[in-house]
Amino acid sequence: MTILTLETTCDETAAAVVTDRLEVLSSVVASQDDLHRRFGGVVPEIASRAHVQRILPVIDEALRKAGLKLADLDAVAVANTPGLAGSLLVGLVAAKALCVAGEIPLVAVNHLQAHIYACRLASRQEVFPCVGLIVSGGHTSLYRCGGPLEFELLGSTIDDAAGEAFDKVAGMLGLPYPGGPSIERAARRGNPKAFRFPRALLRDEERLDFSFSGLKTAVRYGVARLLGQKGTVPFSLRGNRDSPQATSQKGTVPFSLRENWDSPQVTSQVADLAASFQEAVVDCLVGKAFAALRQTGLPTLCVGGGVAANARLRQRLAEQADRQGIRLHVAPIGLCTDNAVMGAIAAERLRAGLIEDLDLDVYPGMVRKPA
Ligand code: KG4
Ligand code: ZN
């Protein structure tokens, strides 16, 4: 069975052709990083407009690379939850149109389940049941995954997602968007113990939630100290002097990190801030993931999502898994950030007879754990 999978939940327009035996015939990802860079984060309206422009060329290229035509497909799968409403709609409408034209079934994909399924795909072995840690720009959640389609929420962030914190802190440090890779790069030269940043909720072994907003504020104060503004936090530290925010606040921003980028002192302190921030995030992610393993008694941990590409996180997870005899599967780097290959989870839904009607809707929000 050959399935075309579409992914437009956030700011990547992606299509892949996969088989129900989990072979990947093609994969195309059109990133929108360039469009969102100047805003330091994803702008939903820009994202959905860009999806409209890119979705058909991306589908064409995926089919061409697989050497197939629409008539060769057995199903079309699309991620319809969670994500940005306008972005999700573009993928869903394209998928429906292809299903009508090709008279083939429509399959719905849960984007978070797909992030964990990337581990199943890459390892080519059974990974369920497992604890699933999804750590991306929009989500930081732990699940008990009884099977590929059976997710029970154990805990999640109560404020920012980890990737969102990486992006915002990078902005404060004058590092380019997306923040994850640029913080990781800067952190390589830094001392992770230089700044003592908070690890919120980490000592509460029972609670499997995360919180990164306090950490973000602590970095902001760290930057303020670096700029010699004891006791005050400048409004914008971005160094983006063209932004309306920076212009209107000119009087309160004496100079930015970016302007002083060449100063060796600033460069080394930025590296220390980046390394200390990254270590705090990694401590929380590793700590809570292993608390979830202890609580559930499950022997396997699967990790997916953009932040799972982080080398320090991967290293710390591997060390801890080794020490505690846990089977660890982290998605390969190429399948951490959003892609359509992980939509191969659609094969599981097809096997379970889960085919959608053409009135299928998008579900942008995440289901939160009841209080
Ligand atoms: O999974 P993803 O592509 O999109 C969402 O579903 O949100 O994740 C994107 C996020 C961004 O916040 C980006 O900064 C972060 O993943 N990221 C990283 C790394 N590469 C991407 N964070 C830390 N270290 C990285 N190497
Ligand atoms: Zn994602």
Side-chain angles (χ1 to χ4, degrees):
M1 233 186 190
T2 307
I3 310 164
L4 172 71
T5 61
L6 305 182
E7 153 65 46
T8 61
T9 58
C10 188
D11 65 335
E12 262 92 26
T13 318
V17 181
V18 296
T19 71
D20 58 346
R21 296 169 59 196
L22 305 186
E23 296 144 322
V24 180
L25 304 185
S26 68
S27 169
V28 179
V29 182
S31 159
Q32 299 180 10
D33 282 352
D34 289 349
L35 298 179
H36 301 287
R37 181 162 291 125
R38 59 190 282 253
F39 302 101
V42 176
V43 181
E45 184 60 25
I46 292 175
S48 49
R49 283 166 192 254
H51 284 309
V52 170
Q53 289 169 338
R54 292 157 191 224
I55 187 81
L56 293 181
V58 165
I59 291 171
D60 275 345
E61 197 180 333
L63 287 173
R64 191 181 48 75
K65 281 188 167 163
L68 297 175
K69 296 198 165 42
L70 181 57
D72 300 319
L73 297 175
D74 296 299
V76 179
V78 61
N80 72 326
T81 187
L84 301 170
S87 293
L88 288 165
L89 273 171
V90 178
L92 180 63
V93 170
K96 285 181 181 177
L98 293 172
C99 288
V100 170
E103 296 181 27
I104 47 178
L106 174 67
V107 185
V109 165
N110 176 309
H111 179 74
L112 300 181
Q113 292 176 352
H115 267 306
I116 292 302
Y117 202 72
C119 298
R120 162 75 187 85
L121 258 176
S123 70
R124 305 211 66 84
Q125 355 168 332
E126 190 50 83
V127 298
F128 301 102
C130 65
V131 166
L133 169 65
I134 297 148
V135 56
S136 72
H139 313 103
T140 302
S141 319
L142 279 162
Y143 289 86
R144 179 204 298 268
C145 313
L149 308 175
E150 213 183 296
F151 276 42
E152 181 198 333
L153 186 63
L154 298 171
S156 60
T157 181
I158 57 169
D159 40 57
D160 287 13
E164 188 182 357
F166 267 97
D167 294 334
K168 289 178 178 166
V169 165
M172 292 179 205
L173 299 180
L175 298 170
Y177 176 85
S182 46
I183 288 203
E184 181 175 347
R185 223 171 301 122
R188 278 188 214 129
R189 286 171 286 117
N191 172 7
K193 295 197 173 129
F195 292 83
R196 280 213 346 227
F197 288 140
R199 274 91 168 139
L201 310 177
L202 189 56
R203 267 180 287 183
D204 185 347
E205 169 79 13
E206 289 301 303
R207 195 168 168 193
L208 298 176
D209 293 326
F210 304 87
S211 167
F212 297 110
S213 68
L215 170 60
K216 215 174 50 186
T217 307
V219 176
R220 206 172 176 89
Y221 278 100
V223 174
R225 268 200 306 280
L226 170 57
L227 293 177
Q229 298 175 330
K230 288 192 183 64
T232 62
V233 182
F235 189 79
S236 166
L237 296 158
R238 268 255 182 80
N240 180 358
R241 276 161 296 158
D242 300 331
S243 84
Q245 185 193 51
T247 313
S248 67
Q249 296 293 326
K250 230 174 198 158
T252 61
V253 187
F255 62 96
S256 77
L257 291 177
R258 181 62 100 194
E259 287 161 29
N260 289 269
W261 193 239
D262 296 335
S263 130
Q265 197 221 358
V266 167
T267 308
S268 88
Q269 296 223 40
V270 164
D272 285 347
L273 282 163
S276 304
F277 162 77
Q278 177 176 266
E279 203 64 13
V281 175
V282 168
D283 275 347
C284 295
L285 296 174
V286 174
K288 291 296 177 189
F290 282 81
L293 287 159
R294 281 192 291 279
Q295 278 188 30
T296 58
L298 289 166
T300 309
L301 174 65
C302 286
V303 187
V307 181
N310 184 276
R312 181 67 182 147
L313 174 61
R314 297 172 85 92
Q315 179 196 14
R316 290 276 311 279
L317 286 167
E319 285 167 4
Q320 186 93 332
D322 215 31
R323 267 200 299 273
Q324 303 200 5
I326 292 294
R327 226 159 50 106
L328 173 70
H329 297 280
V330 187
I333 304 246
L335 295 185
C336 284
T337 45
D338 289 346
N339 64 87
V341 172
M342 63 194 191
I345 193 175
E348 303 281 350
R349 291 186 72 90
L350 274 170
R351 256 195 292 282
L354 297 170
I355 289 169
E356 307 302 324
D357 289 333
L358 286 175
D359 61 359
L360 177 70
D361 208 344
V362 297
Y363 299 95
M366 285 202 314
V367 178
R368 292 207 181 265
K369 197 174 59 166

